[in-house]
Amino acid sequence: MNEQFIKDIKKISGESSVLTGDQVRERKAGIWIEDPIRATAIVRPKKTKEISQILSLCNKEKIPVVTHGGLTGLAQGAISKEGELAISTELMNGIEEIDPYGRTLTVQAGVKLQTIQEIAEENNMLFPLDLGARGSCTIGGNASTNAGGNNVIRYGMARDLILGIEAVLADGTIISSLNKMLKNNTGYDLKQLFIGSEGTLGIITKLVLRLKEKPISQNTALLATDSFNEVKTVLKHLDSGLAGSLTAFEVMWKDFYNLVTTPPAINSPPIQGDYNFYILVEYNGFDQKIDGEHFNNLLEIALEKKLISDAVIAMNENERRKLWSIRDDVEQQFRLGPIKIFDISLPINSMENYLEESKQQFSKNWDEFHFVVFGHLADSNLHIIAGVGKDDQDTMNKIEQCIYEPLKNFEGSVSAEHGIGLEKVPYLPISKSVAEISLMKQIKSSLDPNNILNPGKVLP
């Protein structure tokens, strides 16, 4: 990347929109990544047309491009190196249209998730995608990683909440598929190519989001039980009793619960910490009195049937937020020393056996280790915090093998919601067949023949 190239980029987006040198190095490529961004330059376009012109130039000069959103990803998907250009969507943060009757919101890719949630609420609507990084992550990044989060059991992943997308291909071609209709059965659904592809097939610039009517009631409780079979049974009991409208079902194994409810953590335990499982459940409905009575009745039945051993019900919004702050306090993991957090998925019925097999692999390799589990269990997603006291590359590789290799026996996925990025590329064959990976490569080479879009990510 020479000086003339930088000058050409500045002509497209403006002098102030291009960062070089220390302005680049002072940024990090992820929330838990200490190393600075290594790209030669960062360009911050304001319009789709600018991205089109930039990519056309990059494709001609064969300059690799890495897209940056909120930089909250956990799979090293935004990692860049010298000679690469980072394209940040931070200035593409416009709200274009809200349609409360069609229940859609059209936005640029750089809009923060929390901003979208707030705009929906101001219009008495709901955008149900929700995750801990809501204040920093961008909707373009959410789409490119097919983000999941807390409400997937009821509302689905990011791809279920996107009706239309505008994206720019590697050669600068603009694909404007800003569909606003729930039904549009006209051949290939092109937006799905870009959702979950982590910037390897194109750069998402605009989205038409699917809004929901805002729930009138909200009911939240923390439950405790001692066996995994009871966890599964109470999930079935609540979701069936709520006619498939259970909104969240978050499970914390004992070690995680104790980690986030003991000093120096700011949260205190609402329920004593000697049960094996703690379940945060939430149901949103249409009438606080009716829904509250029904929700509480279901919990009473669960207690009578001994599906749960204890329960705490949030009586107001403040108590609800306190319960959620327990589940969201993932930063406490750093108290355990050098660790790595994993994001896997597998059938619920296989979880107990998988965790036992993975733990056995740790026991064979280390006398002492941390193996802390929590996650969005109802949608098959577990997070594992693992550490053995060392973080050299050989040790971390061995830890990854102990987590990922057992998934083969349970037809699990090495990524539930965080994506593949750079980090999980070696383990993609655990979850994808040779034929699937071959087809993915064909799509990649067709849309990006010069391999300039996020090279080295997702695909081996």
Side-chain angles (χ1 to χ4, degrees):
M1 188 184 301
N2 55 37
E3 290 185 15
Q4 183 57 50
F5 178 84
I6 298 294
K7 290 179 180 178
D8 291 340
I9 293 295
K10 288 179 177 179
K11 287 180 182 178
I12 295 171
S13 289
E15 188 86 22
S16 63
S17 293
V18 180
L19 308 180
T20 57
D22 291 342
Q23 292 177 312
V24 173
R25 303 293 172 256
E26 66 187 14
R27 297 185 173 209
K28 304 290 191 296
I31 52 175
W32 293 331
I33 296 176
E34 292 301 321
D35 293 338
I37 291 174
R38 301 292 181 185
T40 299
I42 299 174
V43 59
R44 302 174 297 166
K46 301 179 185 68
K47 299 178 181 179
T48 300
K49 184 178 179 181
E50 292 177 30
I51 290 186
S52 172
Q53 294 172 335
I54 291 166
L55 283 184
S56 177
L57 180 61
C58 289
N59 194 53
K60 178 182 177 182
E61 300 294 333
K62 295 183 173 56
I63 301 294
V65 170
V66 178
T67 310
H68 285 179
L71 298 176
T72 60
L74 297 174
Q76 300 181 5
I79 293 290
S80 59
K81 54 190 177 184
E82 191 69 33
E84 294 181 336
L85 176 70
I87 298 181
S88 171
T89 60
E90 63 193 81
L91 300 183
M92 297 185 67
N93 53 14
I95 306 296
E96 302 217 338
E97 180 189 43
I98 184 165
D99 178 0
Y101 298 103
R103 297 179 296 282
T104 64
L105 176 64
T106 305
V107 299
Q108 289 184 311
V111 179
K112 298 284 194 296
L113 174 58
Q114 184 171 325
T115 300
I116 290 169
Q117 293 172 333
E118 291 170 351
I119 289 171
E121 187 170 3
E122 288 169 6
N123 287 271
N124 204 35
M125 303 289 288
L126 171 73
F127 184 64
L129 183 67
D130 187 45
L131 46 145
R134 63 185 72 84
S136 303
C137 64
T138 63
I139 192 61
N142 297 150
S144 68
T145 57
N146 188 29
N150 302 326
N151 300 325
V152 171
I153 181 178
R154 182 167 180 178
Y155 297 108
M157 302 282 282
R159 71 169 70 252
D160 299 295
L161 299 168
I162 298 171
L163 292 175
I165 272 181
E166 179 184 83
V168 184
L169 301 183
D171 65 359
T173 299
I174 298 172
I175 302 296
S176 190
S177 185
L178 293 172
N179 169 69
K180 296 179 181 178
M181 299 164 290
L182 189 57
K183 287 184 174 181
N184 184 358
N185 198 10
T186 51
Y188 305 144
D189 190 358
L190 296 178
K191 69 175 181 290
Q192 300 296 350
L193 282 173
F194 306 104
I195 301 173
S197 64
E198 302 182 50
T200 61
L201 300 180
I203 296 179
I204 296 171
T205 54
K206 293 181 185 178
L207 306 95
V208 179
L209 305 176
R210 183 182 179 189
L211 302 180
K212 301 288 184 177
E213 295 298 336
K214 183 181 177 181
I216 296 172
S217 71
Q218 199 160 49
N219 299 276
T220 309
L222 180 69
L223 319 177
T225 190
D226 267 326
S227 77
F228 190 74
N229 188 60
E230 289 166 348
V231 172
K232 294 190 297 182
T233 306
V234 77
L235 168 60
K236 183 68 175 173
H237 167 71
L238 290 176
D239 202 26
S240 174
L242 295 169
S245 296
L246 184 63
T247 306
F249 191 89
E250 301 286 314
V251 180
M252 297 170 277
W253 273 243
K254 179 196 287 187
D255 286 349
F256 180 85
Y257 181 78
N258 288 334
L259 180 68
V260 297
T261 57
T262 56
I266 61 173
N267 296 297
S268 56
I271 300 175
Q272 62 185 11
D274 54 2
Y275 294 103
N276 289 325
F277 301 94
Y278 297 82
I279 310 167
L280 183 60
V281 296
E282 189 160 273
Y283 163 60
N284 298 334
F286 68 95
D287 183 284
Q288 190 62 54
K289 185 177 186 297
I290 295 173
D291 293 333
E293 290 175 354
H294 183 53
F295 183 73
N296 293 349
N297 184 55
L298 287 172
L299 297 183
E300 288 176 5
I301 293 172
L303 282 166
E304 291 170 3
K305 292 184 175 181
K306 297 183 178 180
L307 302 181
I308 56 177
S309 302
D310 203 351
V312 170
I313 299 173
M315 303 306 294
N316 51 52
E317 178 61 18
N318 184 52
E319 291 184 6
R320 173 187 172 271
R321 289 181 183 274
K322 285 183 177 180
L323 291 181
W324 273 105
S325 70
I326 293 172
R327 163 59 181 83
D328 288 344
D329 195 12
V330 183
E331 298 286 339
Q332 295 301 322
Q333 64 182 305
F334 297 114
R335 291 163 53 188
L336 303 177
I339 51 88
K340 186 175 183 63
I341 189 167
F342 292 88
D343 159 54
I344 64 165
S345 63
L346 69 163
I348 294 173
N349 281 332
S350 300
M351 286 179 175
E352 199 168 21
N353 290 335
Y354 161 78
L355 291 172
E356 183 59 35
E357 186 171 325
S358 185
K359 271 189 177 180
Q360 288 177 4
Q361 294 299 316
F362 275 78
S363 297
K364 290 177 182 178
N365 289 280
W366 300 282
D367 294 330
E368 295 183 4
F369 57 87
H370 296 292
F371 194 93
V372 181
V373 186
F374 65 105
H376 321 289
L377 181 139
D379 51 51
S380 305
N381 181 189
L382 293 180
H383 297 301
I384 300 172
I385 301 169
V388 299
K390 298 187 295 182
D391 59 358
D392 60 275
Q393 193 59 54
D394 288 342
T395 298
M396 297 311 270
N397 289 343
K398 191 65 179 178
I399 289 175
E400 290 175 355
Q401 292 169 15
C402 291
I403 295 292
Y404 292 139
E405 291 295 334
L407 287 169
K408 291 179 181 177
N409 299 328
F410 301 97
E411 298 183 333
S413 169
V414 298
S415 178
E417 57 183 358
H418 292 169
I420 297 299
L422 184 64
E423 181 180 294
K424 300 178 187 178
V425 169
Y427 303 101
L428 185 63
I430 290 175
S431 303
K432 294 287 188 185
S433 67
V434 172
E436 286 176 309
I437 293 175
S438 176
L439 181 56
M440 288 168 67
K441 287 181 176 180
Q442 289 179 50
I443 295 171
K444 168 69 170 173
S445 62
S446 175
L447 296 181
D448 182 18
N450 291 324
N451 193 30
I452 68 164
L453 295 176
N454 223 1
K457 315 295 172 40
V458 181
L459 286 168

